[in-house]
Amino acid sequence: MQLEEIKSKFERFLRQKGYKITRGRFEIIDKIADYGPHFEIEELVRWIANQNRSIASRSTIYRTVRLLQEFGAIREVIKLGNRTIYEFTAGKPHHEHLICVQCGKIIEFYKEEIEELQDKVCEEHQFTPLNHRLEIFGICSHCKAKSHED
Amino acid sequence: MQLEEIKSKFERFLRQKGYKITRGRFEIIDKIADYGPHFEIEELVRWIANQNRSIASRSTIYRTVRLLQEFGAIREVIKLGNRTIYEFTAGKPHHEHLICVQCGKIIEFYKEEIEELQDKVCEEHQFTPLNHRLEIFGICSHCKAKSHED
DNA sequence: TTAATTGCAAAAACTTTGCAATCGG
DNA sequence: CCGATTGCAAAGTTTTTGCAATTAA
């Protein structure tokens, strides 16, 4: 999905909720898209603050991230210790993550069968799933190779 | 695994690390075992503080929870918003969780095939898994039934 | 006009830490 | 005795919020 498409869908979302279309909100989307697929809020706050023209305060960024989660463009994908890593899903299909605990590298994957098995488990428990998150923590191939050098 | 067995393994763990065997640490294990399988730290701190004989301060509880995680008796199993729910795994076999976002109910499940598929994914990425967490958020059967009453 | 939004600073919630006193081995 | 542990209070992080000024509709 194109960025412009997301923004116009977000605009519709805001209208439908009775919220206002402000420049700040859309500039934050641009910045998040620029930043890359994964970010932590404080990281984003500092990054935005360090740019020549500041577009939004810390509170507005926090509030907008919450709004974008509600809208569905952003997801909390990794919870590691006290850190939360968000993903700008931007219409990307659903997927899970491998996280290298050594270098922080994030690898995305999708396994249809895992999804199906989850649905099965939910059925067995008469549980209606809304969303899920699978995080696999470990060591990536690069870090493993590096540790063998010693 | 029996509580006493866990405690004696923990004792060995402490010795092996050059740490000390203190009464506080073992009383905290007892309290966690008493509390139930899932807890949040602040909840536990308040619960312990409200008992006639206080056994450990907030810092000691935080420090001991960290130690027990290192030891492997405790796991961070659910990360929801800014909350962290720990589990006293106590030698229970590995499993994942369904979390009802309405009432907070936690249902444990285990699906061998999901585990196998995860291993397969890791192999495909030459990724060495250390641990993982699968959280499925949704509505439990009880809450669904209740919402149909209206 | 009027209701939502923003920025700021303050507060809240959670967690870690420095330090002096204490305790275990 | 020596080094680890504890409790306390202080500080660190991350996130939320009250409020007055501003802005969108």
Side-chain angles (χ1 to χ4, degrees):
Chain A
M1 186 150 49
Q2 300 302 315
L3 188 55
E4 289 314 312
E5 192 182 341
I6 291 164
K7 288 204 252 179
S8 79
K9 280 193 180 158
F10 185 53
E11 196 176 318
R12 245 177 291 159
F13 167 85
L14 292 174
R15 273 190 226 292
Q16 191 242 315
K17 290 259 180 184
Y19 298 154
K20 289 181 177 169
I21 317 299
T22 66
R23 181 191 309 180
R25 288 175 173 163
F26 290 84
E27 290 191 332
I28 290 172
I29 294 182
D30 286 333
K31 289 298 172 195
I32 290 175
D34 271 11
Y35 190 83
H38 302 110
F39 63 94
E40 290 177 65
I41 299 192
E42 281 298 317
E43 208 178 63
L44 184 68
V45 166
R46 281 192 297 273
W47 189 66
I48 288 177
N50 284 338
Q51 307 196 345
N52 28 23
R53 192 176 60 87
S54 192
I55 58 167
S57 69
R58 160 174 278 99
S59 343
T60 299
I61 294 172
Y62 271 93
R63 289 191 269 233
T64 304
V65 166
R66 229 195 309 179
L67 207 51
L68 286 168
Q69 271 188 272
E70 203 187 320
F71 168 57
I74 279 180
R75 209 162 64 100
E76 290 184 349
V77 288
I78 298 163
K79 291 283 200 170
L80 186 44
N82 308 323
R83 298 165 54 201
T84 298
I85 299 175
Y86 291 86
E87 178 173 73
F88 183 50
T89 51
K92 254 197 289 185
H94 174 78
H95 56 266
E96 314 293 353
H97 298 87
L98 305 178
I99 304 102
C100 180
V101 295
Q102 208 143 106
C103 70
K105 184 175 179 183
I106 297 171
I107 301 166
E108 303 179 350
F109 74 91
Y110 177 75
K111 208 66 168 175
E112 181 68 32
E113 298 101 304
I114 292 182
E115 307 288 320
E116 287 165 3
L117 285 161
Q118 286 183 46
D119 286 343
K120 212 161 135 187
V121 168
C122 288
E123 267 177 49
E124 284 165 17
H125 290 86
Q126 295 165 43
F127 185 89
T128 310
L130 294 172
N131 58 71
H132 65 262
R133 171 170 60 216
L134 170 56
E135 298 154 278
I136 304 182
F137 300 99
I139 309 288
C140 74
S141 58
H142 184 248
C143 286
K144 208 183 328 174
K146 235 176 23 183
S147 75
H148 282 313
E149 285 171 17
D150 311 330
Chain B
M1 186 150 47
Q2 299 303 315
L3 189 55
E4 290 313 312
E5 193 183 340
I6 290 165
K7 287 203 252 180
S8 79
K9 280 193 178 159
F10 185 52
E11 197 175 318
R12 245 177 290 158
F13 167 85
L14 291 175
R15 273 191 224 294
Q16 189 241 317
K17 290 260 179 184
Y19 298 153
K20 290 183 175 167
I21 318 297
T22 65
R23 179 190 309 179
R25 287 176 173 162
F26 290 83
E27 291 192 332
I28 290 172
I29 295 182
D30 286 333
K31 289 298 173 195
I32 290 175
D34 272 11
Y35 191 83
H38 301 110
F39 64 94
E40 290 177 66
I41 299 192
E42 281 299 316
E43 210 178 60
L44 184 69
V45 167
R46 281 191 298 273
W47 190 66
I48 288 178
N50 285 337
Q51 308 194 347
N52 27 23
R53 192 177 59 89
S54 192
I55 57 166
S57 69
R58 160 174 279 100
S59 341
T60 298
I61 294 172
Y62 271 93
R63 289 191 269 232
T64 304
V65 165
R66 230 196 307 181
L67 206 52
L68 287 168
Q69 271 189 272
E70 202 187 321
F71 167 58
I74 280 180
R75 210 162 61 101
E76 289 185 350
V77 289
I78 297 162
K79 292 283 200 170
L80 186 43
N82 307 323
R83 298 166 53 202
T84 298
I85 299 175
Y86 291 86
E87 179 173 72
F88 184 50
T89 50
K92 253 196 291 186
H94 174 78
H95 56 265
E96 315 293 352
H97 298 87
L98 306 178
I99 305 102
C100 179
V101 295
Q102 209 143 103
C103 69
K105 184 176 181 183
I106 297 171
I107 301 167
E108 303 180 349
F109 73 91
Y110 177 74
K111 207 65 170 176
E112 181 68 33
E113 298 101 303
I114 292 182
E115 306 287 320
E116 286 166 4
L117 285 162
Q118 285 182 47
D119 287 343
K120 210 161 136 187
V121 167
C122 288
E123 266 178 49
E124 284 164 16
H125 289 86
Q126 294 165 42
F127 185 88
T128 310
L130 294 173
N131 59 71
H132 65 262
R133 171 169 61 214
L134 171 55
E135 298 154 279
I136 304 182
F137 300 100
I139 310 289
C140 73
S141 58
H142 184 248
C143 286
K144 208 183 329 176
K146 236 177 22 183
S147 75
H148 281 313
E149 285 171 17
D150 311 329

